[in-house]
Amino acid sequence: MSGVEIITFGCRLNTYESEVMRGAAEQAGLNNAVLVNTCAVTGEAVRQARKAIRRARRAHPDARIIVTGCAAQTEAGSFAAMPEVDAVLGNAEKLESRAYRALPDFGVGSEEKLRVNDIMSVRETAPQMVRMIEGHVRAFVQVQNGCDHRCTFCIIPYGRGNSRSVPMGAVVDQARMLVENGYREIVLTGVDATSYGGDLAGTPTLGLLAKTLLKQVPELARLRLSSIDSIEADRHLIDLIADEPRFMPHLHLSLQHGDDMILKRMKRRHSRADALAFMQEARRLRPGIAFGADMIAGFPTETEEMFAQAGTLAREAGIASLHVFPYSPREGTPAARMPQHDPLLIRERAARLRAIGTELARDHLASMVGTAQTVLVESNGTGHTENFTRVATPGLEPRSLVATTITGHDGKNLSIATAERQAA
């Protein structure tokens, strides 16, 4: 093979960083290489990364295979021990061109493969600039990295380090570059995005950053946030929900559960009542706003009654998109030392919670029929409304914004009869 191929797992932040990696590797003159940007959220994510590495070696027997990302940071030795792997880079090193210039030769020992430093020693997130996000019609912009919280189930702080923010001016400059390159929609992303600004002078907030970006880049048509912690929502963010039409009416919430005792054992900072109150207030301010949510099924000590509260909360809140994780013990986390459920029970509960999610998604699709929507068209024959509901858009030009009326749905996608291009 020639050039650099990147395989990306996990979150939108990883997607953004993969573009930074591409630029750094090309600047270093790297060629004939596969970069695997891993995720460590679940054991399954790590297993999928290992499968991809073995598959990449079979497909490219003479290429260098370089593994990085959160799983490489937290399980560096195990990836270095894989015979298919030529080098392992940490989450900080993967963004630096010098790391790709200093790679070892083929066939070295596992210790020589390692280029992974202590992520907790990283105190700043250097601004990065990319011109495009390959394969996406909406662009992701990193605003924050790391996390200061220590949820008992989560390994990510050990893969990402402590919370650190990108200066506001650099975020605005990156957004402006992407808009100039044709992107109509931008998603602000981070590991714990709502903690943005705590380490910066003047302690700006995520909401203030979003307000500033929209003011400084008036050509940007649509702005979204990635996953947020609702308990950290600031007054500027509430203002945007209420008053800013370019701020999209969709929020993905890190809920994780619906039972207060389990939330406490997870070391979450919100209660069931907190989550419901936030969503109710957002709906009052912005009718038509939709919510996605992460939920974990089968957390240690979860009784049947506690588990039921997760589905009850999802129904009560009218969650449009439920992302269910079967609980996966991550070595080194407090939850991994708690009494564990049988994996079969965990999978069974996850399946039941996903069934509730399917039911709620259909309810949401039905509620959209007959409404007027503006859709951003993507390259795969689908698009998304402002509240991030997927629409079938056959024959429409990718990256275009179309104003249309929703005529029905097939259980997965909304459908439209006619579409009229919206002025840029």
Side-chain angles (χ1 to χ4, degrees):
M1 64 178 292
S2 62
V4 173
E5 177 185 333
I6 301 183
I7 302 170
T8 305
F9 292 89
C11 63
R12 290 165 170 172
L13 180 56
N14 251 15
T15 300
Y16 176 84
E17 288 179 337
S18 285
E19 292 305 319
V20 178
M21 289 164 51
R22 189 187 307 279
E26 290 174 353
Q27 184 180 353
L30 189 66
N31 190 37
N32 189 27
V34 179
L35 311 184
V36 184
N37 197 5
T38 63
C39 173
V41 168
T42 64
E44 179 60 25
V46 178
R47 284 190 290 274
Q48 289 299 320
R50 295 186 191 282
K51 286 177 62 176
I53 291 165
R54 295 185 185 104
R55 191 162 52 244
R57 175 55 73 210
R58 290 194 296 271
H60 306 291
D62 298 322
R64 284 189 174 186
I65 295 183
I66 300 151
V67 181
T68 185
C70 289
Q73 183 73 45
T74 59
E75 303 181 30
S78 67
F79 281 101
M82 293 180 68
E84 297 87 357
V85 173
D86 295 297
V88 180
L89 300 183
N91 256 335
E93 291 74 26
K94 73 181 182 182
L95 306 176
E96 302 172 351
S97 61
R98 62 184 178 182
Y100 298 99
R101 285 194 290 267
L103 290 173
D105 293 328
F106 287 90
V108 299
S110 61
E111 289 301 313
E112 297 169 281
K113 296 179 183 180
L114 291 171
R115 299 289 187 275
V116 181
N117 292 327
D118 178 12
I119 196 68
M120 294 300 178
S121 68
V122 180
R123 301 300 179 193
E124 295 181 349
T125 289
Q128 306 286 347
M129 298 290 280
V130 301
R131 294 188 172 277
M132 63 172 291
I133 307 294
E134 187 171 297
H136 293 267
V137 300
R138 64 180 53 78
F140 309 129
V141 173
Q142 178 188 23
V143 302
Q144 182 272 343
N145 203 340
C147 186
D148 290 339
H149 309 301
R150 296 294 182 266
C151 296
T152 59
F153 57 84
C154 187
I155 196 68
I156 296 306
Y158 307 100
R160 287 284 180 177
N162 291 315
S163 182
R164 51 207 188 273
S165 308
V166 179
M168 193 178 295
V171 174
V172 172
D173 289 344
Q174 172 67 102
R176 185 178 290 116
M177 175 185 287
L178 290 164
V179 170
E180 289 172 353
N181 286 339
Y183 286 94
R184 314 294 294 276
E185 181 174 306
I186 282 174
V187 184
L188 302 184
T189 186
V191 175
D192 181 28
T194 36
S195 71
Y196 176 84
D199 57 324
L200 298 178
T203 59
T205 60
L206 180 64
L208 180 60
L209 170 65
K211 275 186 178 180
T212 303
L213 192 157
L214 287 166
K215 181 179 180 180
Q216 296 294 323
V217 191
E219 304 84 5
L220 176 61
R222 295 166 41 142
L223 179 67
R224 294 190 189 278
L225 302 181
S226 61
S227 180
I228 68 166
D229 243 337
S230 60
I231 200 70
E232 293 182 320
D234 64 281
R235 63 179 179 84
H236 295 291
L237 181 53
I238 300 301
D239 290 344
L240 289 168
I241 293 171
D243 301 324
E244 176 51 72
R246 292 190 294 153
F247 184 80
M248 295 295 95
H250 172 268
L251 293 171
H252 190 88
L253 306 180
S254 181
L255 294 183
Q256 307 305 350
H257 213 276
D259 181 82
D260 281 336
M261 180 56 72
I262 293 296
L263 288 168
K264 184 176 293 187
R265 289 171 180 165
M266 288 178 166
K267 209 173 179 181
R268 301 295 294 163
R269 286 157 297 126
H270 68 270
S271 67
R272 175 193 185 87
D274 292 331
L276 281 171
F278 174 80
M279 288 183 275
Q280 289 165 357
E281 176 66 1
R283 281 205 176 95
R284 184 186 70 81
L285 295 171
R286 191 81 170 267
I289 191 170
F291 296 100
D294 294 331
M295 287 275 198
I296 295 175
F299 187 80
T301 77
E302 177 191 77
T303 66
E304 183 63 28
E305 292 74 20
M306 291 171 174
F307 166 73
Q309 290 281 48
T312 302
L313 174 63
R315 284 198 171 102
E316 191 172 346
I319 300 295
S321 176
L322 198 59
H323 191 183
V324 177
F325 293 87
Y327 171 74
S328 176
R330 309 300 289 126
E331 185 178 351
T333 61
R337 299 191 294 271
M338 297 178 184
Q340 304 291 306
H341 285 301
D342 186 294
L344 290 176
L345 176 64
I346 294 173
R347 289 197 291 272
E348 187 268 337
R349 286 183 177 174
R352 285 159 57 193
L353 195 52
R354 288 192 183 108
I356 292 173
T358 299
E359 170 194 327
L360 291 171
R362 284 181 170 272
D363 290 345
H364 173 68
L365 290 170
S367 75
M368 297 284 288
V369 176
T371 64
Q373 299 291 330
T374 302
V375 178
L376 176 64
V377 181
E378 298 171 18
S379 56
N380 60 354
T382 65
H384 282 85
T385 64
E386 291 182 340
N387 68 5
F388 209 63
T389 309
R390 196 164 65 176
V391 185
T393 57
L396 297 181
E397 183 181 345
R399 289 201 181 191
S400 62
L401 283 170
V402 297
T404 188
T405 299
I406 305 302
T407 58
H409 72 87
D410 63 3
K412 293 185 178 180
N413 298 325
L414 296 172
S415 55
I416 56 179
T418 59
E420 181 178 334
R421 179 77 55 82
Q422 178 174 296

